[in-house]
Each structure stands twice: as C-alpha cells, then as structure tokens.
C-alpha cells in the first residue's frame, strides 16, 4: 500500500505548487515511483519464486507417485508379470503394431517369451491380463456370468454401440441369441440358406470368370454382404439410393485402429461409417414401425414384431445395435477367412486335388450335375470340413476375446483383480507348436479322424467359446463349403498380384489379392 499512498500525495502536491518547481517536483516523483515500483517487483518476485518452486516439487512428487502406481498397480494377491507401459497410453502402440505374417503377433510373442503364457499389460488405458494359456482360456469361458463377463475396451463399445449384443449379459443376451438363431440356426440353414448361399456363389464366380481378374476380398465381401443384407433387412443395392456397404467399408477400415477420433484418422472414418450406417437402419425402422400391415419378409421384420409387443424386451437402441453388429459380423469375418483360404489353396495344389476328388464325386452322384448343393451333400463334405478348420485356424480373424473379472480371481498362482480386463488370445493357442505340429503349415489332414468341433475347446476357439460361441458359425461353414464346391468343380485360377497380409492386429490385405478364373474342362 505504501507506494500507492506516496503516489497519491505527490499527485496532490502538483496541483498547488508553481510550474517551474512543479516540473522539478514531478521529475523527483517519477524517480521515486520508479524506485518504489522496482523495489515492489523485486519483493514480489522474491515471494513468487519460492512458491513456484514448492508447487513444482509437489506436482513432481504427485506425478512420480502416480507413475509408480500406474506401473505397480495394487492387488490383494500376486499379479501376473508384465509391464503396464507408460501412463495412460500403456502398451497400446505396441499392441497395434503391424505384423506381416500369419504368426502370433510380436506383441504377444515377445511377452510370452519374457513373462510366460499369462502376463499383464495396459491397452487403451485399461489394465488387462493377456492369456495364451489353454487351461486359463477354457476356465475363463466356462466361468462366464459367475467370475467373468463379456467386456470390450471403451473404444470398441463406442464403435459397436453401448447396447450391442457383446455388451449385454444374462437373460437379455440369451434372448437375443435365440432371436438370431431363427435366421442362422440349423433349421433355416437346411430349409433355405444352403440353396441360397450356393446360388450366390455360383453367380459371383460366373461373373468373375468373365473379367480379366477380380480382387477376391472385395468380391467376396460384396457377395456375402448382398446375401446377408437381403436376409437381414431386405436390402437390395440396385434399388437403394445410398450404398449401405460403402458405410460398412469405411467402418471396417478403422475398426481395429488407434482410437484417435479426429478428421483424417482411420478411427474417425470408422465412426463416420457407423453413424451413416445407423442413419440408414434408423430410417428403415421408422418406416416399418409406421406400417403395421407390413408382412414379415426378413429378420428385421421379426425384430420389429418384438418391439411391437405389449411389454417388449427389446428397445429400439438395442434393436438397431443388434442389426448393425449382425450386418458387420455376417460378411467381413467370413470374407477375410475365405480370401486367406483361397491364397492357402493356391500355394498348396495337393489340397486342391483332394478337394476336387471329394466334390467331383458329389457332383457325379447327382441326377443333375448342375443341381444346387443339398444339406445332405454339405454334411458329406468330410475333407472340406477339415480344410475349413485349417483355414480359420490360420486366419485367426479375432486376435483377442475380451472378458472382465467380476471379483478377485485366483488362477494359476496369480490374482486377477476385480474390474480388470482379460484378453484370451486365440492365435497363441492355434499356433502353439506344443498343440499343433508345424503350426504355420497349412495341413488339413491334421484334423483327420478327429471329432467334429461344435463349440470352443481348449485348443480351438476360432469361433469363440463358452456361452458366447458364435451363433453364425454354422452359416459361415456352409457358405465357405458351398463356395469351395463351386470353385473347385468349375474353375481353375491363378494369382495376378497381391496376396500379402498384414495384421494390425486384425487380418488385412493391404494390396488386395487379385486372381484370374478359368472355366475348368
């Protein structure tokens, strides 16, 4: 306060003294003010500097403590070995690092070598225990609803919707599973889907054979999407003003990408694709809900009927998320597995010869060799089933299956804290040399004389396991078998270009897989 009082008194004095003296007095006042201000600033800085230093020390101590807690998470028991990575980011970048082989990702392989088949890490900000141990994987699947529940990182939930079928539990999940089996269950497969998938495969292969070449992944995706979208929502691309599949392609490009939602990133493109696809589905729902006289023509109509019940179990949000997930899961995973499968067949002509022997025999036993595949014929494709098992074992479309611990769980000498994620790693099991001899070799005969797998096992989980074994498994197998039947009985083919793969960690073909088809003599 003192400098301000001095300044006030000097200002008052300048109003009553003569001008010449006033100038001298004013000059003296300015000097005094400058001196006083410098003194005040010096004393202020002397006070601020220690405070700033103390604050910096406190923040540094808090940061060190927080970093220590991040790298040394609390647990009531012994945590698995591993590293939590750097705060917030964890080991997310390493998890998404590209892998240009069919082998286990370097992220998992290096940590299994260093820590063993069970290790801890942090992915997209969440603590996760990764399991490459068959016994633990089986235990996790069998204890769903008791010790574990289905869980995915927040980024996956944002992508698929908060009410997607993978995030639902208990009665609601079982209800939706029963609903979906109306379409993909064996009764409908026998009655309708075998003939329809066979017809779709024939049409597509015939069209591709008339072209100089076809990018197989794109061709298969279009074929399967058009087939499944017709069954699910009555979608006809030739009559639609908007390409629904185009939105799903945008969605898929960023599905398994680093979760940075800004324009120009794959994740942003993914979210925009979902938004546009949901807009189309929401418009369809609104139109159908407004037409109570509409006949049931597809699966979406059955869902609408469930919504119209007096006390519906479904909500519109759950119904829309269900349709979105089914459209995605019905075509993309099978198209990827088949694309890799044809590449494996191309590199293994002995397998093609064995397939032709089986399928030519089926065609010869028909009254009409060009008749569609029947359910009985499909069930007789023994070697084909072995080929499909080997294709999906090596494809490893799903790099990780996520669960969450509902309570502290003791297993294999370790404690998984309540709330932690568990990532079951199918590739680490499918490519384990202690389970599969020469695991990277494409050898369908390894499945010879083994019982048919109708669910997830300790050593095979390409279609999931436990209560959440994929409801579309039988449909995928039928589609792959009917495609192989038409391909090997009617065509030969050669690679034109591409075929290289990359996993980030999901399977992709960065330069496509272009093949040329020739009618078989």
């Amino acid at each position: 306060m003192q400098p301000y009082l001095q300044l006030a008194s000097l200002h008052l004095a300048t109003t009553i003294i003569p001008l010449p003296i006033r100038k001298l007095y004013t000059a003296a006042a300015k000097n005094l003010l400058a001196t006083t201000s410098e003194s005040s600033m010096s004393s202020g800085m002397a006070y601020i500097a220690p405070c700033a230093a103390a604050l910096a020390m406190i923040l540094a101590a808090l940061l060190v403590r927080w970093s220590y807690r991040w790298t040394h998470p609390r647990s009531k028991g012994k945590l698995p070995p591993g590293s939590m990575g750097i705060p917030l980011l964890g080991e997310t970048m390493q998890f998404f690092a590209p892998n240009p082989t069919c082998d286990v990702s370097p992220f998992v392989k290096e940590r299994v070598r260093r820590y063993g088949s069970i290790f801890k890490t942090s992915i997209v900000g969440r603590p996760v225990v990764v399991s490459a141990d068959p016994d633990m994987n089986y235990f996790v699947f069998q204890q769903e609803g008791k010790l574990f529940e289905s869980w995915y990182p927040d980024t996956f939930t944002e992508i698929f919707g908060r009410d997607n079928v993978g995030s639902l539990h208990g009665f609601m999940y079982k209800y939706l599973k029963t609903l979906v089996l109306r379409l993909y269950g064996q009764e409908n497969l026998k009655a309708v889907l075998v003939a329809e998938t066979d017809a779709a495969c024939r049409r597509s292969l015939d069209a591709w054979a008339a072209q100089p070449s076809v990018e197989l992944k794109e061709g298969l995706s279009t074929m399967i999407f058009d087939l499944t979208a017709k069954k699910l929502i009555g979608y006809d691309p030739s009559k639609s003003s908007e390409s629904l599949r185009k939105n799903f392609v945008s969605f898929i490009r960023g599905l398994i990408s680093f979760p940075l939602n800004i324009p120009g990133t794959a994740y942003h493109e993914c979210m925009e694709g979902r938004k546009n696809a949901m807009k189309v589905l929401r418009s369809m729902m609104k139109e159908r809900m407004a037409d109570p006289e509409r006949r049931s023509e597809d699966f979406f109509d059955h869902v609408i009927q469930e919504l119209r019940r007096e006390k519906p179990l479904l909500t519109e949000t759950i119904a829309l998320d269900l349709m979105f997930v089914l459209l995605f899961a019905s075509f993309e995973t099978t198209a990827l597995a088949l694309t890799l499968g044809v590449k494996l067949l191309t590199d293994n002509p002995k397998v093609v010869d064995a397939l032709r022997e089986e399928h030519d025999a089926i065609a010869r036993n028909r009254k009409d060799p060009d008749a569609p595949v029947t359910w009985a014929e499909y069930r007789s494709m023994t070697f084909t089933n072995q080929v499909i098992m080997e294709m999906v074992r090596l494809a490893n479309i799903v790099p990780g299956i996520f669960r969450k611990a509902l309570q502290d769980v003791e297993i294999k000498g370790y404690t998984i804290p309540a709330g932690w994620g568990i990532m079951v790693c199918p590739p680490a099991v499918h490519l384990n040399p202690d389970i599969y001899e020469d695991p990277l070799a494409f050898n369908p005969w390894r499945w010879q004389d083994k019982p048919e797998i109708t669910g997830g096992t300790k050593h095979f989980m390409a279609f999931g396991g436990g209560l959440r074994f994929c409801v579309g498994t039988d449909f995928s197998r039928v589609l792959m078998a009917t495609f192989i039947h038409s391909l090997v009985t009617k065509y030969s083919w050669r690679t034109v270009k591409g075929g290289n793969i990359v996993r980030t960690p999901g399977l992709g073909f960065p330069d496509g897989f272009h093949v040329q088809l020739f009618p078989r003599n």
Side-chain angles (χ1 to χ4, degrees), residues 177 180-181 183-190 193-194 197 330 334 375 378-379 385 388-389 452-455 463 469-482:
K177 185 175 182 179
V180 174
L181 284 173
L183 176 63
Y184 290 135
Q186 285 202 6
E187 290 303 315
N188 202 39
L189 282 170
K190 292 178 186 178
L193 289 181
V194 170
T197 56
S330 296
T334 306
W375 180 256
Y378 163 69
R379 296 294 296 166
N385 183 60
I388 291 171
M389 291 289 285
E452 181 180 2
I453 294 177
T454 56
F463 299 104
F469 189 73
C470 177
V471 294
T473 297
D474 288 334
F475 172 71
S476 293
R477 285 175 166 169
V478 165
L479 201 153
M480 294 176 77
T482 52

Side-chain angles (χ1 to χ4, degrees), residues 12-85:
L12 178 62
T14 59
T15 63
I16 58 176
I17 57 178
L19 185 60
I21 300 175
R22 187 185 302 175
K23 290 182 179 178
L24 293 174
Y25 195 76
T26 302
K30 289 181 179 179
N31 291 334
L32 176 60
L33 179 60
T35 304
T36 305
S37 298
E38 289 176 5
S39 174
S40 175
M41 290 180 63
S42 297
S43 63
M45 289 300 296
Y47 174 76
I48 293 173
C51 290
L55 182 61
M57 291 177 65
I58 292 171
L59 290 175
L62 291 173
L63 184 60
V64 169
R65 179 179 175 80
W66 176 63
S67 298
Y68 180 83
R69 282 297 173 204
W70 178 275
T71 55
H72 298 78
R74 291 177 178 175
S75 173
K76 295 178 181 178
K78 180 184 177 183
L79 288 171
S83 168
M84 304 302 287

Side-chain angles (χ1 to χ4, degrees), residues 178-454:
T178 302
L179 192 64
V180 174
L181 284 173
R182 293 183 188 178
L183 176 63
Y184 290 135
Q186 285 202 6
E187 290 303 315
N188 202 39
L189 282 170
K190 292 178 186 178
V192 178
L193 289 181
V194 170
E196 290 185 351
T197 56
D198 180 65
C201 292
R202 291 182 184 221
R203 284 195 303 270
S204 294
L205 285 164
D206 185 55
W208 300 344
Q211 302 172 17
S213 68
V214 62
E215 200 288 286
L216 195 60
K217 165 60 175 56
E218 175 69 14
L220 285 167
S221 292
T222 301
M223 178 191 81
I224 300 171
F225 184 85
D226 289 348
L227 171 65
T228 56
K230 180 71 174 176
K231 301 300 295 182
L232 286 167
I233 59 175
Y235 181 75
D236 186 347
S238 65
K239 297 178 182 179
S240 175
S241 60
E242 184 174 357
S243 174
L244 183 60
R245 184 176 169 272
K246 182 180 178 181
N247 294 322
F248 274 91
V249 169
S250 298
F251 169 79
I252 288 161
R253 283 187 187 133
L255 177 59
I256 305 182
S257 61
F258 189 76
L260 188 62
N261 192 10
I262 61 174
T265 64
Y267 186 78
H268 179 77
E269 185 179 9
C270 172
M271 296 303 292
E272 287 297 301
R274 169 182 164 78
K275 183 174 73 174
N276 293 331
M278 290 296 285
K279 182 180 178 182
V280 174
L281 293 175
R282 197 171 286 108
S283 176
M284 286 184 178
M285 174 179 282
K286 183 178 179 181
E287 181 180 331
R288 295 186 187 201
M289 291 289 285
D291 183 9
E293 302 301 320
R294 179 184 169 88
R295 292 184 305 139
S296 291
E297 298 177 355
D298 51 47
F299 182 73
F300 207 1
D301 287 327
H302 290 294
V303 172
I304 298 294
Q305 287 179 0
E306 294 292 314
L307 286 170
R308 285 192 177 127
R309 285 187 174 190
E310 185 177 347
K311 294 182 179 179
L313 295 172
L314 280 178
T315 65
E316 289 189 9
T317 302
I318 292 176
L320 287 169
D321 281 342
L322 173 65
M323 299 308 300
F324 180 85
V325 169
L326 288 176
L327 281 166
F328 160 74
S330 296
F331 83 97
E332 179 64 11
T333 53
T334 306
L336 282 167
L338 259 179
T339 302
L340 182 65
V342 174
K343 182 180 186 304
L344 292 168
L345 291 177
T346 306
D347 297 337
N348 294 271
K350 287 185 178 180
V351 178
V352 177
D353 291 341
L355 281 171
R356 283 191 169 133
E357 183 178 345
E358 178 171 88
H359 288 275
D360 285 347
I362 290 172
R364 283 196 301 268
N365 288 332
R366 295 174 182 151
K367 291 181 179 179
D368 178 3
D370 290 324
V373 173
T374 66
W375 180 256
E377 289 173 344
Y378 163 69
R379 296 294 296 166
S380 73
M381 298 175 183
T382 305
F383 183 67
T384 303
N385 183 60
Q386 295 170 20
V387 170
I388 291 171
M389 291 289 285
E390 190 71 346
M391 284 178 176
V392 296
R393 181 187 72 85
L394 287 171
N396 284 308
I397 301 300
V398 180
I401 302 172
F402 290 89
R403 297 290 184 266
K404 182 173 70 175
L406 297 174
Q407 62 188 59
D408 287 357
V409 179
E410 302 285 338
I411 183 170
K412 294 277 185 174
Y414 300 118
T415 297
I416 303 175
W420 275 45
I422 298 96
M423 189 183 90
V424 171
C425 185
V429 175
H430 296 158
L431 302 174
N432 186 335
D434 295 332
I435 300 173
Y436 296 98
E437 183 180 353
D438 194 9
L440 290 173
F442 180 60
N443 177 18
W445 289 276
R446 71 170 83 244
W447 300 97
Q448 193 170 7
D449 300 325
K450 291 186 178 180
E452 181 180 2
I453 294 177
T454 56

Side-chain angles (χ1 to χ4, degrees), residues 109-150:
K109 200 169 188 177
E110 291 169 6
R111 284 156 184 76
V112 168
R113 188 184 302 116
R114 187 185 309 172
Y115 305 119
S117 59
I118 303 171
F119 62 89
K120 69 175 183 288
T121 183
S122 175
I123 303 171
V124 292
R126 291 296 299 267
V128 175
V129 171
V130 178
S131 172
D133 183 273
D135 293 326
M136 178 170 168
N137 296 343
Y138 188 74
F139 176 78
V140 169
F141 288 142
Q142 295 306 308
Q143 292 299 315
E144 173 145 2
K146 302 172 186 176
L147 300 178
F148 305 96
E149 69 179 13
S150 177

